[in-house]
Amino acid sequence: MKKERVLSGMQPTGRLHLGHYLGVLMNYVKLQEEYECYFMVANLHSLTVFYPNYRKAHSFIAPLVSDWLAAGIDPEKSVIFVQSDIPEHAELSLILSMYTPVSWLLRNPTYKEKQENLDKDIDSHGFLGYPVLQAADILLYEAKLVPIGEDQLPHLELTREIVRRFNHYQQQEIFDLPKPLLSSFPKVLGTDGRKMSKSYGNTLDLAESEESFEKKLMQMKTDTARVRRQDPGNPENCPVFTYYDHFGQKDKNEIAKACRTASIGCRDCKANLFSYMKEELRPFREMRQKAEKDPSFIENILHKGAMKAKERAQKTMIKVKEALGLNSRYTFPA
Ligand code: TRP
Ligand code: SF4
């Protein structure tokens, strides 16, 4: 049986952190066993914000891909590629934009939110059309499933609306309706106990040096009831404890008990956690070093990925152009 296709994308906006790893990357890695996966660096999407100086975003591509590889995304199993290497994204996006009423884009919640929150002027045509480009990403590979976070659901719904409208005018089912695949890992907390996010400056980065990782972890807030070493704590009020859901999981129950009875101090608790994290994150540091030493390593992977992606994308474009009649001969009307 043919495997169903999955596509997901990530913008190159900076280094990946633990939140990305637990919430997104681990999910990607699992999916590649069951599906034909396309993992895309959404660098054209990042242009919506990085337009004054795109080079900065470009420099985040290699580190992003290096983190993917370190997490276990395997270029032999999945297609790893950069969006702008496949011009068909722009081409399909333009065509789909003709089937997308502006009113749909204006009421897109991420459009309103970002415009209000970002200090940068992003009042551009491209930013308004962001979800159309995302629809093109998905449809170009005829992906059935799209792993995304909850914040991206409106974009997937828009993709579905565009598909319905496009199919309606073609009077054929050119595209199937893609479905979201929500990841199940709960929100990962940052060093200050709020949601881990680059904008809060509370991240633990995957490829971060051991020293700096350890320092951040050791300074992290714990249950505020544990003022002194002998005060019992409640792991449920402790952001550090949430990491035990993944790292050192087998110690989790014991640690919870020891915390409640104050038989363990926060320093020991964190040191124990760090020993697990250090082990698991080692490939991220090693991959980064390897990729930095030999730039052609990542470039080769992306080159191969682009060739595979291109082949798939071109099939879809032929189908779309045939449906519209865009590739028929230039003859006089009958
Ligand atoms: N908009 C997505 C984000 O910021 C990134 C993205 C671009 C994407 N194209 C995609 C995600 C296609 C899924 C499918 O997270
Ligand atoms: Fe948190 Fe561990 Fe300290 Fe308990 S002992 S408050 S779980 S860091």
Side-chain angles (χ1 to χ4, degrees), residues 220-224 226 232-242 244 255-256 258-260 264-270:
M220 212 172 137
K221 281 208 190 109
T222 62
D223 178 9
T224 45
R226 292 205 77 177
N234 181 357
E236 274 160 42
N237 298 334
C238 174
V240 174
F241 189 71
T242 60
Y244 274 100
I255 289 282
C259 172
R260 289 203 166 93
I264 190 179
C266 289
R267 285 198 65 80
D268 308 318
C269 178
K270 287 171 170 177

mmCIF file of all heavy atoms in Angstrom, residues 220-224 226 232-242 244 255-256 258-260 264-270, ligand 2:
data_model
loop_
_atom_site.group_PDB
_atom_site.id
_atom_site.type_symbol
_atom_site.label_atom_id
_atom_site.label_comp_id
_atom_site.label_asym_id
_atom_site.label_seq_id
_atom_site.Cartn_x
_atom_site.Cartn_y
_atom_site.Cartn_z
ATOM 1 N N MET A 220 17.035 28.018 37.299
ATOM 2 C CA MET A 220 15.607 28.011 37.019
ATOM 3 C C MET A 220 14.755 28.038 38.287
ATOM 4 O O MET A 220 15.141 27.466 39.315
ATOM 5 C CB MET A 220 15.289 26.743 36.222
ATOM 6 C CG MET A 220 14.181 26.912 35.271
ATOM 7 S SD MET A 220 14.045 25.452 34.233
ATOM 8 C CE MET A 220 12.272 25.309 34.261
ATOM 9 N N LYS A 221 13.620 28.729 38.171
ATOM 10 C CA LYS A 221 12.662 28.788 39.291
ATOM 11 C C LYS A 221 12.122 27.391 39.605
ATOM 12 O O LYS A 221 11.915 26.581 38.717
ATOM 13 C CB LYS A 221 11.466 29.646 38.891
ATOM 14 C CG LYS A 221 11.702 31.118 38.976
ATOM 15 C CD LYS A 221 10.350 31.805 39.261
ATOM 16 C CE LYS A 221 10.484 33.298 39.123
ATOM 17 N NZ LYS A 221 9.818 33.813 37.942
ATOM 18 N N THR A 222 11.859 27.143 40.865
ATOM 19 C CA THR A 222 11.231 25.875 41.256
ATOM 20 C C THR A 222 9.966 26.217 42.047
ATOM 21 O O THR A 222 9.520 27.357 42.012
ATOM 22 C CB THR A 222 12.194 25.016 42.107
ATOM 23 O OG1 THR A 222 12.489 25.733 43.300
ATOM 24 C CG2 THR A 222 13.478 24.714 41.355
ATOM 25 N N ASP A 223 9.433 25.252 42.753
ATOM 26 C CA ASP A 223 8.266 25.554 43.592
ATOM 27 C C ASP A 223 8.660 26.622 44.612
ATOM 28 O O ASP A 223 9.570 26.404 45.420
ATOM 29 C CB ASP A 223 7.805 24.266 44.285
ATOM 30 C CG ASP A 223 6.627 24.518 45.219
ATOM 31 O OD1 ASP A 223 6.083 25.647 45.194
ATOM 32 O OD2 ASP A 223 6.259 23.589 45.956
ATOM 33 N N THR A 224 7.969 27.735 44.600
ATOM 34 C CA THR A 224 8.367 28.864 45.456
ATOM 35 C C THR A 224 8.173 28.562 46.942
ATOM 36 O O THR A 224 8.687 29.284 47.794
ATOM 37 C CB THR A 224 7.568 30.137 45.082
ATOM 38 O OG1 THR A 224 6.196 29.761 44.915
ATOM 39 C CG2 THR A 224 8.082 30.755 43.805
ATOM 40 N N ARG A 226 9.439 26.109 48.387
ATOM 41 C CA ARG A 226 10.691 25.538 48.903
ATOM 42 C C ARG A 226 11.723 26.649 49.068
ATOM 43 O O ARG A 226 12.652 26.808 48.286
ATOM 44 C CB ARG A 226 11.243 24.488 47.933
ATOM 45 C CG ARG A 226 10.399 23.243 47.847
ATOM 46 C CD ARG A 226 11.208 22.044 47.399
ATOM 47 N NE ARG A 226 12.033 21.524 48.475
ATOM 48 C CZ ARG A 226 12.789 20.437 48.362
ATOM 49 N NH1 ARG A 226 12.853 19.771 47.236
ATOM 50 N NH2 ARG A 226 13.503 20.016 49.392
ATOM 51 N N PRO A 232 9.269 21.163 52.402
ATOM 52 C CA PRO A 232 8.748 20.237 51.395
ATOM 53 C C PRO A 232 8.182 21.003 50.201
ATOM 54 O O PRO A 232 7.735 22.146 50.360
ATOM 55 C CB PRO A 232 7.642 19.473 52.133
ATOM 56 C CG PRO A 232 7.322 20.268 53.338
ATOM 57 C CD PRO A 232 8.464 21.165 53.652
ATOM 58 N N GLY A 233 8.223 20.380 49.046
ATOM 59 C CA GLY A 233 7.735 21.061 47.843
ATOM 60 C C GLY A 233 6.577 20.311 47.208
ATOM 61 O O GLY A 233 6.203 19.225 47.646
ATOM 62 N N ASN A 234 6.025 20.940 46.186
ATOM 63 C CA ASN A 234 4.980 20.298 45.404
ATOM 64 C C ASN A 234 5.405 20.310 43.934
ATOM 65 O O ASN A 234 5.431 21.370 43.305
ATOM 66 C CB ASN A 234 3.661 21.050 45.598
ATOM 67 C CG ASN A 234 2.535 20.385 44.818
ATOM 68 O OD1 ASN A 234 2.757 19.405 44.101
ATOM 69 N ND2 ASN A 234 1.339 20.929 44.948
ATOM 70 N N PRO A 235 5.741 19.153 43.415
ATOM 71 C CA PRO A 235 6.229 19.089 42.024
ATOM 72 C C PRO A 235 5.243 19.687 41.021
ATOM 73 O O PRO A 235 5.644 20.153 39.952
ATOM 74 C CB PRO A 235 6.418 17.599 41.770
ATOM 75 C CG PRO A 235 6.179 16.891 43.042
ATOM 76 C CD PRO A 235 5.653 17.836 44.049
ATOM 77 N N GLU A 236 3.975 19.670 41.382
ATOM 78 C CA GLU A 236 2.989 20.219 40.445
ATOM 79 C C GLU A 236 3.122 21.729 40.268
ATOM 80 O O GLU A 236 2.619 22.295 39.302
ATOM 81 C CB GLU A 236 1.571 19.890 40.927
ATOM 82 C CG GLU A 236 1.131 18.529 40.431
ATOM 83 C CD GLU A 236 -0.002 17.960 41.253
ATOM 84 O OE1 GLU A 236 -0.923 18.714 41.592
ATOM 85 O OE2 GLU A 236 0.052 16.755 41.574
ATOM 86 N N ASN A 237 3.788 22.372 41.226
ATOM 87 C CA ASN A 237 3.999 23.819 41.098
ATOM 88 C C ASN A 237 5.394 24.147 40.603
ATOM 89 O O ASN A 237 5.862 25.266 40.738
ATOM 90 C CB ASN A 237 3.819 24.505 42.458
ATOM 91 C CG ASN A 237 2.419 24.315 42.989
ATOM 92 O OD1 ASN A 237 1.490 24.122 42.207
ATOM 93 N ND2 ASN A 237 2.261 24.352 44.303
ATOM 94 N N CYS A 238 6.061 23.146 40.040
ATOM 95 C CA CYS A 238 7.466 23.354 39.686
ATOM 96 C C CYS A 238 7.700 23.143 38.191
ATOM 97 O O CYS A 238 7.495 22.047 37.679
ATOM 98 C CB CYS A 238 8.333 22.375 40.477
ATOM 99 S SG CYS A 238 10.052 22.446 39.985
ATOM 100 N N PRO A 239 8.135 24.196 37.491
ATOM 101 C CA PRO A 239 8.375 24.041 36.049
ATOM 102 C C PRO A 239 9.476 23.021 35.737
ATOM 103 O O PRO A 239 9.413 22.350 34.707
ATOM 104 C CB PRO A 239 8.780 25.443 35.587
ATOM 105 C CG PRO A 239 9.044 26.242 36.812
ATOM 106 C CD PRO A 239 8.343 25.585 37.952
ATOM 107 N N VAL A 240 10.455 22.909 36.624
ATOM 108 C CA VAL A 240 11.543 21.944 36.385
ATOM 109 C C VAL A 240 10.972 20.524 36.307
ATOM 110 O O VAL A 240 11.384 19.719 35.477
ATOM 111 C CB VAL A 240 12.602 22.032 37.517
ATOM 112 C CG1 VAL A 240 13.649 20.933 37.360
ATOM 113 C CG2 VAL A 240 13.263 23.400 37.519
ATOM 114 N N PHE A 241 10.023 20.269 37.175
ATOM 115 C CA PHE A 241 9.476 18.921 37.237
ATOM 116 C C PHE A 241 8.803 18.507 35.924
ATOM 117 O O PHE A 241 8.781 17.326 35.579
ATOM 118 C CB PHE A 241 8.501 18.784 38.406
ATOM 119 C CG PHE A 241 8.068 17.364 38.646
ATOM 120 C CD1 PHE A 241 8.950 16.431 39.179
ATOM 121 C CD2 PHE A 241 6.782 16.947 38.298
ATOM 122 C CE1 PHE A 241 8.566 15.108 39.375
ATOM 123 C CE2 PHE A 241 6.394 15.629 38.489
ATOM 124 C CZ PHE A 241 7.288 14.709 39.028
ATOM 125 N N THR A 242 8.267 19.473 35.183
ATOM 126 C CA THR A 242 7.584 19.124 33.921
ATOM 127 C C THR A 242 8.549 18.420 32.960
ATOM 128 O O THR A 242 8.126 17.616 32.141
ATOM 129 C CB THR A 242 6.987 20.358 33.207
ATOM 130 O OG1 THR A 242 8.049 21.263 32.900
ATOM 131 C CG2 THR A 242 5.956 21.065 34.075
ATOM 132 N N TYR A 244 10.601 16.189 33.670
ATOM 133 C CA TYR A 244 10.671 14.755 33.991
ATOM 134 C C TYR A 244 9.619 13.944 33.219
ATOM 135 O O TYR A 244 9.683 12.722 33.197
ATOM 136 C CB TYR A 244 10.519 14.517 35.503
ATOM 137 C CG TYR A 244 11.819 14.620 36.270
ATOM 138 C CD1 TYR A 244 12.142 15.773 36.972
ATOM 139 C CD2 TYR A 244 12.719 13.558 36.280
ATOM 140 C CE1 TYR A 244 13.340 15.873 37.672
ATOM 141 C CE2 TYR A 244 13.920 13.645 36.979
ATOM 142 C CZ TYR A 244 14.224 14.813 37.675
ATOM 143 O OH TYR A 244 15.403 14.901 38.355
ATOM 144 N N ILE A 255 11.225 11.029 42.331
ATOM 145 C CA ILE A 255 11.572 12.449 42.519
ATOM 146 C C ILE A 255 10.399 13.201 43.143
ATOM 147 O O ILE A 255 10.574 13.997 44.073
ATOM 148 C CB ILE A 255 11.950 13.093 41.159
ATOM 149 C CG1 ILE A 255 13.294 12.558 40.665
ATOM 150 C CG2 ILE A 255 11.959 14.615 41.235
ATOM 151 C CD1 ILE A 255 14.518 13.153 41.326
ATOM 152 N N ALA A 256 9.207 12.913 42.658
ATOM 153 C CA ALA A 256 8.026 13.614 43.182
ATOM 154 C C ALA A 256 7.892 13.367 44.684
ATOM 155 O O ALA A 256 7.636 14.291 45.463
ATOM 156 C CB ALA A 256 6.776 13.148 42.444
ATOM 157 N N ALA A 258 10.289 12.400 46.760
ATOM 158 C CA ALA A 258 11.424 12.993 47.468
ATOM 159 C C ALA A 258 11.265 14.508 47.614
ATOM 160 O O ALA A 258 11.706 15.100 48.598
ATOM 161 C CB ALA A 258 12.713 12.665 46.731
ATOM 162 N N CYS A 259 10.626 15.120 46.632
ATOM 163 C CA CYS A 259 10.380 16.562 46.687
ATOM 164 C C CYS A 259 9.351 16.864 47.775
ATOM 165 O O CYS A 259 9.540 17.770 48.589
ATOM 166 C CB CYS A 259 9.900 17.041 45.321
ATOM 167 S SG CYS A 259 9.324 18.736 45.263
ATOM 168 N N ARG A 260 8.300 16.075 47.802
ATOM 169 C CA ARG A 260 7.217 16.292 48.777
ATOM 170 C C ARG A 260 7.674 16.093 50.218
ATOM 171 O O ARG A 260 7.127 16.690 51.137
ATOM 172 C CB ARG A 260 6.046 15.343 48.483
ATOM 173 C CG ARG A 260 5.291 15.713 47.231
ATOM 174 C CD ARG A 260 3.862 15.170 47.249
ATOM 175 N NE ARG A 260 3.086 15.821 46.198
ATOM 176 C CZ ARG A 260 2.948 15.319 44.961
ATOM 177 N NH1 ARG A 260 3.484 14.154 44.660
ATOM 178 N NH2 ARG A 260 2.262 15.988 44.048
ATOM 179 N N ILE A 264 14.995 15.404 49.047
ATOM 180 C CA ILE A 264 15.937 15.794 47.993
ATOM 181 C C ILE A 264 15.882 17.320 47.878
ATOM 182 O O ILE A 264 14.829 17.928 48.090
ATOM 183 C CB ILE A 264 15.557 15.115 46.649
ATOM 184 C CG1 ILE A 264 16.645 15.307 45.600
ATOM 185 C CG2 ILE A 264 14.237 15.632 46.124
ATOM 186 C CD1 ILE A 264 16.335 14.632 44.274
ATOM 187 N N GLY A 265 17.004 17.922 47.576
ATOM 188 C CA GLY A 265 17.024 19.371 47.373
ATOM 189 C C GLY A 265 16.848 19.692 45.901
ATOM 190 O O GLY A 265 17.027 18.819 45.046
ATOM 191 N N CYS A 266 16.491 20.935 45.604
ATOM 192 C CA CYS A 266 16.286 21.315 44.205
ATOM 193 C C CYS A 266 17.574 21.174 43.394
ATOM 194 O O CYS A 266 17.540 20.826 42.221
ATOM 195 C CB CYS A 266 15.760 22.741 44.123
ATOM 196 S SG CYS A 266 14.056 22.864 44.694
ATOM 197 N N ARG A 267 18.698 21.460 44.029
ATOM 198 C CA ARG A 267 19.960 21.345 43.296
ATOM 199 C C ARG A 267 20.198 19.909 42.823
ATOM 200 O O ARG A 267 20.577 19.683 41.670
ATOM 201 C CB ARG A 267 21.134 21.777 44.174
ATOM 202 C CG ARG A 267 21.258 23.276 44.361
ATOM 203 C CD ARG A 267 22.646 23.655 44.861
ATOM 204 N NE ARG A 267 23.678 23.333 43.865
ATOM 205 C CZ ARG A 267 23.946 24.112 42.806
ATOM 206 N NH1 ARG A 267 23.262 25.220 42.607
ATOM 207 N NH2 ARG A 267 24.882 23.770 41.942
ATOM 208 N N ASP A 268 19.954 18.965 43.727
ATOM 209 C CA ASP A 268 20.165 17.554 43.349
ATOM 210 C C ASP A 268 19.164 17.131 42.290
ATOM 211 O O ASP A 268 19.472 16.386 41.364
ATOM 212 C CB ASP A 268 19.983 16.637 44.572
ATOM 213 C CG ASP A 268 20.834 17.099 45.733
ATOM 214 O OD1 ASP A 268 21.992 17.475 45.493
ATOM 215 O OD2 ASP A 268 20.313 17.112 46.881
ATOM 216 N N CYS A 269 17.962 17.595 42.463
ATOM 217 C CA CYS A 269 16.886 17.258 41.529
ATOM 218 C C CYS A 269 17.243 17.741 40.124
ATOM 219 O O CYS A 269 17.091 17.024 39.139
ATOM 220 C CB CYS A 269 15.596 17.900 42.020
ATOM 221 S SG CYS A 269 14.195 17.635 40.944
ATOM 222 N N LYS A 270 17.770 18.968 40.066
ATOM 223 C CA LYS A 270 18.143 19.535 38.763
ATOM 224 C C LYS A 270 19.384 18.846 38.189
ATOM 225 O O LYS A 270 19.470 18.621 36.979
ATOM 226 C CB LYS A 270 18.424 21.019 38.920
ATOM 227 C CG LYS A 270 17.182 21.857 39.132
ATOM 228 C CD LYS A 270 17.596 23.270 39.484
ATOM 229 C CE LYS A 270 16.421 24.223 39.469
ATOM 230 N NZ LYS A 270 16.850 25.576 39.887
HETATM 231 FE FE1 SF4 B 2 11.059 21.149 41.603
HETATM 232 FE FE2 SF4 B 2 12.709 19.141 41.981
HETATM 233 FE FE3 SF4 B 2 12.805 21.282 43.558
HETATM 234 FE FE4 SF4 B 2 10.766 19.626 43.729
HETATM 235 S S1 SF4 B 2 12.891 19.150 44.179
HETATM 236 S S2 SF4 B 2 10.642 21.847 43.668
HETATM 237 S S3 SF4 B 2 10.519 18.986 41.627
HETATM 238 S S4 SF4 B 2 13.257 21.211 41.394
#
